[in-house]
Amino acid sequence: MSISKKSSMDKSKSAQTNQSWGGRFNEPVDDFVARFTASVDFDQRLFRQDIQGSIAHASMLSEVGVLTKTEVQEIISGLESIASEIESGEFAWSTNLEDVHMNIEAALTARIGDVGKKLHTGRSRNDQVATDIRLWLRDEIDTIALLLSALQNGMIELAMTESDTIMPGFTHLQTAQPVTFGHHLLAWNEMLERDFGRLKDCRKRLNYCPLGAAALAGTTYPINRNHTAVTLNFDQPTENSLDSVSDRDFAIEFCAFASILLTHLSRMSEELILWTSAQFQFINLPDRFCTGSSIMPQKKNPDVPELVRGKTGRVNGHLVCLLTLMKSQPLAYNKDNQEDKEPLFDTVDTVRDCLRAFADMIPAIEANKSAMYEAAKRGFSTATDLADYLVGTGIAFRDAHEIVGKAVAYGIAEHKDLSDMSLEELVQFSDQIKDDVFSVLTLEGSVAARDHIGGTAPNQVKAAATRAAGKVACR
Ligand code: ARG
């Protein structure tokens, strides 16, 4: 066989096999296998970060003298034109080119010729994809942080407005003690404040640059890892090349943040759903957050909180998916990791939508103050206040508890709240009860008496709302 014949055979072979590894292969990848192993349908979402990473890598290569200035100029303008073509929706993605990385690289070479083939010098798709997802998730975290702050601001503002609106506080979903609605809203805000902290922690730990780890062991070129790390706004390069290409902790950590956040949103949703019911009637949600029923004309369903509650399931599922994906994986990169993207993408989308829905809906809550007040009066919510009053007269708490228990039993039989009983009725249970008792038996007296940091007294709620708003403003 003549040399020229051999080289023409080689050409036709590599035309059918993937250009990136055609050299070693004797037959093209099976059509089904090509589809099965491809990720381009979903990872094209990383195209901006892929191009951003490639530009940083190419600039570094020219900085250290591996590429010439002219070469890097051509590479960068080629990549930029590919970026605008993708943005405009005109880019033709090919499943045969497997993923976003190889699609862009092939397009670059098609556009600028052989110099495009130099872009992949000193890197691998393994450190490339690890970099792309970190860059992508970092941007998403920044957007999510803004949405979370917007939700918190709306919640804190409502808490301020409702700082002296009285409602029943529950334990075991049974009336416990009166609280203010503002206090309840600030309890929700505390959950979100911790979620924000978790999100920030996650961002801090992911902000290391894996570029330069190459396939797994590093590269023989005189690369400058600090250069790429700084260009891409990472705090530092990652420490260990094996870990760099295999680590997906940051995705797991984000999904753990998301699971806890959605768990919190599901708890809030549950309360909103209960409160809008005809049985509670504590709040009204404007019609734009609700839907009707096709058969029951009277229905107004709280679909938005119901859906948020439901979406907690898929987000928890994605967390378990990623944990299981990484469980027992040997170092370093394994193809399994391609499965990290869809759960992560869907988690981000779900978190964004749920936060947006909540940020719009929470400030629109209309509190039905009289229904809340009436509900707080039912269920002897000031019984503990009466016991505390008796303790003030020198009675031991356990005895006071017993006395009030009897008064409550009397109230149940007579259908009377403690505050509706006359002094004559109350002294039957203890002669220590005087007519100053009524100031502690009222709902207003009860909440005002819990006057310390973290308590439900309206002035404390206002102060807490101011502190909470200050924390959000300082971010
Ligand atoms: N599409 C791949 C992924 O998402 C890119 C890395 C492929 N690396 C490899 N050695 N096959 O993980």
Side-chain angles (χ1 to χ4, degrees):
M1 188 189 287
S2 77
I3 289 175
S4 71
K5 238 182 168 175
K6 182 174 184 289
S7 80
S8 85
M9 255 187 74
D10 277 349
K11 242 196 190 131
S12 71
K13 183 189 74 180
S14 75
Q16 296 162 41
T17 56
N18 189 306
Q19 296 288 334
S20 301
W21 55 68
R24 189 215 183 283
F25 281 66
N26 286 318
E27 60 173 355
V29 169
D30 178 85
D31 278 349
F32 167 73
V33 173
R35 245 189 316 118
F36 186 67
T37 54
S39 54
V40 67
D41 283 351
F42 52 86
D43 68 13
Q44 53 183 267
R45 195 167 168 172
L46 299 173
F47 81 87
R48 283 192 198 89
Q49 291 73 20
D50 194 69
I51 287 175
Q52 190 189 358
S54 289
I55 290 176
H57 177 69
S59 313
M60 180 278 291
L61 288 181
S62 96
E63 203 61 36
V64 300
V66 173
L67 293 182
T68 67
K69 290 263 175 288
T70 333
E71 285 171 334
V72 83
Q73 281 317 317
E74 283 176 54
I75 288 177
I76 291 175
S77 62
L79 286 169
E80 281 167 351
S81 73
I82 291 170
S84 15
E85 197 177 306
I86 301 174
E87 296 280 3
S88 70
E90 280 153 25
F91 189 83
W93 297 100
S94 156
T95 311
N96 283 336
L97 291 165
E98 202 177 303
D99 57 24
V100 61
H101 324 292
M102 293 202 287
N103 267 269
I104 291 175
E105 196 191 323
L108 180 69
T109 304
R111 211 162 281 220
I112 67 170
D114 280 352
V115 60
K117 296 181 183 169
K118 295 191 172 184
L119 171 62
H120 213 53
T121 313
R123 80 170 179 186
S124 150
R125 279 183 299 152
N126 298 352
D127 59 343
Q128 193 178 350
V129 71
T131 306
D132 292 1
I133 319 173
R134 284 169 192 253
L135 286 172
W136 179 84
L137 187 57
R138 193 179 66 186
D139 287 349
E140 294 296 332
I141 286 176
D142 292 343
T143 306
I144 288 169
L146 292 176
L147 286 168
L148 190 48
S149 300
L151 166 58
Q152 286 186 264
N153 278 330
M155 198 173 266
I156 295 165
E157 214 165 291
L158 185 63
M160 191 59 108
T161 315
E162 305 292 347
S163 58
D164 50 14
T165 303
I166 292 175
M167 67 181 283
F170 299 93
T171 60
H172 312 265
L173 204 56
Q174 310 289 317
T175 305
Q177 292 170 351
V179 294
T180 60
F181 184 36
H183 196 51
H184 196 110
L185 290 164
L186 289 182
W188 287 357
N189 180 61
E190 285 304 302
M191 303 178 195
L192 298 180
E193 185 66 29
R194 291 191 295 276
D195 290 327
F196 190 87
R198 273 182 280 273
L199 184 66
K200 280 273 139 169
D201 280 354
C202 173
R203 190 193 197 280
K204 208 171 12 162
R205 259 186 297 280
L206 79 65
N207 206 25
Y208 293 86
C209 185
L211 263 189
L216 77 165
T219 173
T220 54
Y221 298 94
I223 57 169
N224 181 346
R225 294 198 60 209
N226 285 317
H227 188 283
T228 27
V230 169
T231 313
L232 295 171
N233 284 320
F234 284 111
D235 291 336
Q236 276 173 40
T238 49
E239 269 306 324
N240 180 291
S241 63
L242 295 168
D243 177 58
S244 306
V245 294
S246 82
D247 167 37
R248 292 294 182 273
D249 293 4
F250 59 92
I252 296 178
E253 204 172 338
F254 176 81
C255 287
F257 147 81
S259 264
I260 301 174
L261 170 71
L262 263 286
T263 298
H264 289 154
L265 296 183
S266 80
R267 297 182 65 185
M268 298 169 199
S269 296
E270 175 78 2
E271 294 189 318
L272 293 173
I273 294 161
L274 286 171
W275 293 347
T276 52
S277 70
Q279 286 65 33
F280 275 83
Q281 297 181 27
F282 283 6
I283 60 162
N284 183 44
L285 285 180
D287 291 357
R288 63 182 182 279
F289 299 106
C290 302
T291 62
S293 156
S294 54
I295 176 168
M296 296 168 283
Q298 87 284 11
K299 288 303 288 291
K300 179 174 151 184
N301 298 325
D303 287 38
V304 170
E306 287 177 275
L307 264 178
V308 171
R309 185 176 60 179
K311 284 182 189 292
T312 311
R314 68 200 281 163
V315 168
N316 287 348
H318 294 325
L319 171 62
V320 173
C321 174
L322 289 189
L323 285 167
T324 313
L325 177 69
M326 296 312 293
K327 180 189 172 294
S328 316
Q329 251 200 56
L331 288 173
Y333 175 85
N334 298 283
K335 183 77 170 181
D336 313 37
N337 286 1
Q338 185 163 290
E339 285 290 306
D340 62 358
K341 289 167 202 66
E342 288 159 294
L344 183 63
F345 292 167
D346 189 66
T347 301
V348 164
D349 292 342
T350 308
V351 164
R352 284 173 67 147
D353 284 353
C354 292
L355 284 175
R356 192 195 151 165
F358 255 67
D360 288 350
M361 183 177 63
I362 294 294
I365 291 175
E366 296 153 11
N368 183 353
K369 294 179 204 258
S370 58
M372 287 183 174
Y373 193 86
E374 285 312 310
K377 278 189 82 173
R378 287 193 299 273
F380 305 95
S381 63
T382 56
T384 317
D385 297 86
L386 180 55
D388 291 342
Y389 171 87
L390 291 171
V391 169
T393 69
I395 299 175
F397 183 77
R398 277 290 152 234
D399 295 332
H401 189 286
E402 172 77 16
I403 293 167
V404 179
K406 288 190 174 130
V408 167
Y410 171 82
I412 292 170
E414 298 292 315
H415 302 291
K416 266 188 183 170
D417 185 59
L418 293 170
S419 61
D420 295 332
M421 293 178 196
S422 66
L423 188 58
E424 291 68 40
E425 282 174 302
L426 287 167
V427 290
Q428 303 176 74
F429 306 103
S430 167
D431 56 11
Q432 296 299 312
I433 300 179
K434 306 282 181 264
D435 68 356
D436 60 348
V437 72
F438 294 105
S439 65
V440 307
L441 289 185
T442 61
L443 301 177
E444 289 79 2
S446 173
V447 294
R450 278 142 176 94
D451 188 10
H452 51 75
I453 292 174
T456 195
N459 61 307
Q460 292 291 346
V461 171
K462 286 192 188 83
T466 307
R467 289 196 300 274
K471 283 186 199 165
V472 179
C474 283
R475 285 173 183 169

